[in-house]
Amino acid sequence: MSTIALPRNVRNTVPLLREPALLVPLVGAGVLTYLAILPLFMLFVGSFQVEVAPREFALTLQNYKAAYTSEYTYSTFKNSVIFAAGSAGLTFLLGTILAWLVERTNTPLRTIFIPIAVVPLILPGVLESIAWIFLLSPKFGYINVALMYLFGLESAPFNIFSLPGMIWAHSVGQVPLAFLMMVAAFKSMDPSLEESAMMSGASTWQTLRRITLRLLMPACGSVLLILFVRTLESFETPALIGIPARIYVYTSEIYLAFNEFPPNYGRGAALAVGLLLLSAAGVWLYTRSTREGKRFQTVTGKAFRPRQFDLGPWRWVGFGFLMTYFLIVVLLPFLVMLWASFLPFFATPSWDALSKLSFENYQYLYGFRPFWRAMQNSILLALMTATAAMVLTSLVAWIVYKSRLPGSWMLDFLAFVPITVPGIVLGMALILLYVAFPIPIYGTIWVLLIAYVTRYIPYGMRSASGSILQIHSELEEAAAASGASWWETFRRVTLPLLRPGFAAGWIYICIVSFREFSTSVLLATGESQVLSILLFSMFEQGQVTVVAAIGILMILTLLTIVAVFYKLSGRVGIQA
Amino acid sequence: MIEVRDLVKTFAEHRGDSVKAVERVSFKVEDGRFYTLLGPSGCGKTTTLRCIAGLEKPDSGEIEVSGAKVYSSINGTFVPAYRRPIGMVFQSYAIWPHLTVFENVAFPLRVGKHRFRNEEVRKKVGNALEQVELGDLGERMATQLSGGQQQRLALARALVREPQVLLLDEPLSNLDAKLRERMRVELRELQRRLRITTLYVTHDQIEALSMSNVIAVMSAGVIVQEGLPRDIYMRPRTQFVAQFIGSTNQLGGRLLRVQGEGLGVVRTEVGEIACGLMNDLSPGADVVVVVRPESIVLHRKRPAETINVVEGKVATVMFLGEYLDCSIELGKNVLQTHQPHSLQLRRGETLWVELPPGACMALPSENSSKES
Ligand SMILES: Nc1ncnc2c1ncn2[C@@H]1O[C@H](COP(=O)(O)OP(=O)(O)O)[C@@H](O)[C@H]1O
Ligand SMILES: [Mg+2]
C-alpha cells in the first residue's frame, strides 16, 4: 500500500454537512455551460448557415469557402503568423532580459525597476498603439521628426504602419507579462543547482549557459507559447495600426466581415471557428508543456533566494538597458499622450506648440455626452464584472476543490474553456446567440456584462482556487472540532481566509474589464458604448488630441480604482 | 471513555478502485488513560482518529464517546463533529492565521450551542493559556508564534471547552528533536493533571513507549497488537511489531521442538537456538528468531555451560556516544549489537556471541506464510 496520504485539501471533511444540496453544483454547471459553451455552440452552428437565425435550417459550407479560399487567405495567414511569432519573440526577449537583470544580477538600482517594469500594465492596449502611432508615424511621429531633424534625413527612418511596427507596438505592451512570468521562473529555481555547477569548476558564463538557461528551457517554451497565442487573439494593434496599413490578421478579418454591409456573419463565424481552433490548440500545448515542466521539477513552486551573478563592469551596460527601457517604453508613451491631450491639433513639441497648450480637449469632453455615457458604462461594467465573476468563481472553486461531489471536475473544465476563446471570437459568438435570442439584451450593456464575465472567469478561477487551495482543510476541520457548525465555520473561518484572494482577483478583473477592447468592438454600440471603443472610433475619425485626453482620463480612472481599492483592502497584493 | 467496535472505512480512489484505510478496528480507551495508536505512515491511524472526531464518516462499525453513541452503522446514528464532546489537536496545528492567539482559543467558546459570556470567555481562555504557558501572548497574531508555541496554542484551543476526550494527531512531529523531547514530558504531565481521556496517534515508537498507558500497534488498517508499552517492546507477537518497534536482529529458521512452557529450540543457519515461544507454534514451522541489540552479550573466551553461544567476527564498530554500535558476522548473517563503550573491540576480531534464551523470541515468519 502506498504510504503517501493524499493532500488534505482534496479530502473532504464533513461529508454530510459539507454536501450542500446538489442544487448548488447543478446551478453552477448550468451557469457555466450557458456562459462558456452555448455561445461557442451557436458560433459553430452559425458558421454552417447562410443567414443568422434562419427561418429554415440548412447547412452549407459556403462560409468556409468564402473564408479560407479567397485571395487574402494566404496573406492573412502569413501576417498572423509573422505578427504572433515576432511579437512573442520580441516580448520574450525584452521580458527575459529585464527579469534576469532585475532578479539575478548586481545591476545598480535594479530593485526600483521591479515596480516600474509592470507600470505599462495600466496602459490599455488601444492607448499603447495610439501612443506609438504618435511617436513613430512616418508623417508626424515625434521620434521620426526628431531623428530627421537631428541627422538631416530625407525620409522617416521608422514606419509604424508596417508589420515590424505592429510587432513593436504590441510587444512593448506585453513585456510586463513576460517579465512577471520570467521573474517567477527565475525565483523558483533552486540556486544549489547553479552552485554545484560552480563547484564543479564552471565559470559564471558557463554556468549561465549550461545550467541556468537549460533549466529554464521548459519555462521559456511555455512563456513563448502563451505570448504567441495571446498575440494571435489580440485585436488592439491589428485594429489601430494594421487596418490603416492594410495589414490584415485573423482578428481583423473577422472584424471586417462583421463591418461589411450587410454584415457577413457567416464568413465571420467561419473565420472565428478557425481562430478558435488555433488558439485552443495553443492553450492545449501550453497546459501540456507546463505539466511536463512540473514533472521535471525545475519549477518547484518554492521561492528560493536566488544567486546573483556579478556582472563586473558590464553591470553598467545592464543599467543602461534598464534606463533605456524605462525612458522609451514606460515613460515616453505616457508623456506623448499627456502632451497631445493639451494640444488643439496634433503638432510636434516646440516653443511654438507650447504656447498653444490648453485644456480645450478636456473642456470639450466635459460637455460631450457620449463620453460620459461611455465612462459610466465602462465603470459600471468593470465593477459588476469583477464582482459577478469573483462570486461565481469562488463558489465554483469551492465546489471543485472542497466538496467531494462526483463530477465536480467538470465545473473546473467548464470554467477553463473561455481561456481558449479569443475576445473577438467570443463577440462574434455572442452576436450569433443574442441576435436570435428571445430576451432583447443585444445592444445593451448586459450583453457586455455577460461577455466580460465569460472572458474573465478563468482569471477569477485562478485567484479563487489559489486561495481556496491555500486554506488547509484542517483549518476548517479544527473549527468543526471546536464545536462550530458548517455555517459558523464558513462565515468565521473560510470567508475571512478567502478574502485576500478574492480581492486580488477582483481588482485584476476590474482593470482588465475597464480596458477590454476586442470583444466590445463587436458588441458595444450606441447606448452601450464603452470607453475603449469610443476611443477607437474617434481615432478613426481623426480627433486624435481628444482621444489623447480620453486616454489620460482613462488612465486616471484606473489609477483611482486601484488606489481606492488599496485603501479599502489594506495590504493586498495584485496577482498578475 | 472511547470505545470503537469493528470500525471500517474505505476511500474511493479516482480511478474506481478503493483503499481500505481501516479494517474492523476495535479498541477501548478507559477514562483518564493515555492510549496510543502506533504504526507506520499510511496504516490508518489518522483515519481512525478522524472517524472518532466525526470528520470522516465510517462505512460501518460503532463509536462511543464517554458513554454516548456518536456513530453506529446499525441504526444510522451519526453525530456531527461539532456536537461531539472532543478536543482535537491537528498535525498541522491548524492555527487560524486571521485571528489573534486569544481569539483562536476563544473560538470554541463563541460557537456552538452553548455560548459563554464575555467575562467567562476571558477567564477560561486565560486559564487555558496559563496551562500551556502562553499566558502573556494573548494579543499576538497567531502566526507570530514559534512552532512550539503554536503547538501549545493548538492544545489550549482543544482543551478550552473542557472536552471529555482529547484526540492528538502526531502533535509533536513538526517540532525539532530537543523541543519534541520536552513537549513529550509536558504533554504527559498536563494529561495526568487534567486526567483527560486521551487518544494519541504517532509513528514514533519512542513517543508511544514513553507516554502511553496502552499502545495499539497498527498495520495496514488493522490493530496487530495491543498492550502495555513494556509488553509491546519485550514480547512482540508478530515479526512486524518486532521490526517496527526498536531495532531487532532476525534469524530465519525452523522450529525443531517445543520444550514445555513457552520454550523451544529453533534450527537456524548459525546453529540451534533455544528461545521463547509466544504463539502456538508446532515443530516444523518456519519462524524467525528476534533478539534486541542491547540483549546480546559478547565474550572473548568461549563461556562454559552456557547455551546459545555462537562464534562470530567483528565487522564494524561505531562509536555513538551513549554506546558502541557493532555488527558481528555469523557466517552469512550479521547481528547488530549495542555494547558499553568500555569494551575495546577491533574489526576482524573473533568473539563468542551469547544470545540469552530469555531475550530471544521465535515468531512465525511472515514472508514464508505469505508465500504458502
Ligand atoms: N480522503 C482520502 N481519500 C483517499 N484515500 C485516503 C484518504 N485519506 C486517507 N487515505 C488513505 O488511507 C490510508 C490511511 O491513511 P491515514 O489514516 O492518513 O494514515 P496514517 O495517519 O496512519 O498515516 C492511506 O493509504 C491513505 O492514502
Ligand atoms: Mg496520519
Side-chain angles (χ1 to χ4, degrees), chain A residues 201-283:
Chain A
S203 70
T204 304
W205 179 240
Q206 281 172 323
T207 307
L208 174 66
R209 203 160 44 87
R210 307 183 64 145
I211 304 293
T212 316
L213 289 183
R214 292 290 163 85
L215 287 177
L216 281 175
M217 223 64 123
C220 293
S222 48
V223 170
L224 273 170
L225 192 61
I226 206 70
L227 290 172
F228 183 88
V229 173
R230 283 183 60 109
T231 312
L232 212 55
E233 295 180 350
S234 75
F235 183 51
E236 287 88 344
T237 314
L240 284 147
I241 301 177
I243 292 179
R246 301 180 170 281
I247 299 170
Y248 303 126
V249 295
Y250 278 121
T251 46
S252 32
E253 287 280 355
I254 295 171
Y255 175 72
L256 292 177
F258 172 80
N259 260 16
E260 277 172 24
F261 192 80
N264 194 338
Y265 291 122
R267 189 161 68 94
L271 285 163
V273 167
L275 184 57
L276 177 64
L277 291 181
L278 261 181
S279 133
V283 170

Side-chain angles (χ1 to χ4, degrees), chain B residues 23-58:
Chain B
E23 253 189 291
R24 298 179 69 79
V25 160
S26 307
F27 60 92
K28 184 168 176 183
V29 185
E30 302 288 353
D31 275 330
R33 302 279 83 184
F34 195 109
Y35 191 100
T36 299
L37 292 176
L38 171 66
S41 106
C43 70
K45 310 177 296 285
T46 298
T47 307
T48 310
L49 201 72
R50 289 164 59 83
C51 287
I52 296 168
L55 297 171
E56 211 80 63
K57 192 176 180 190

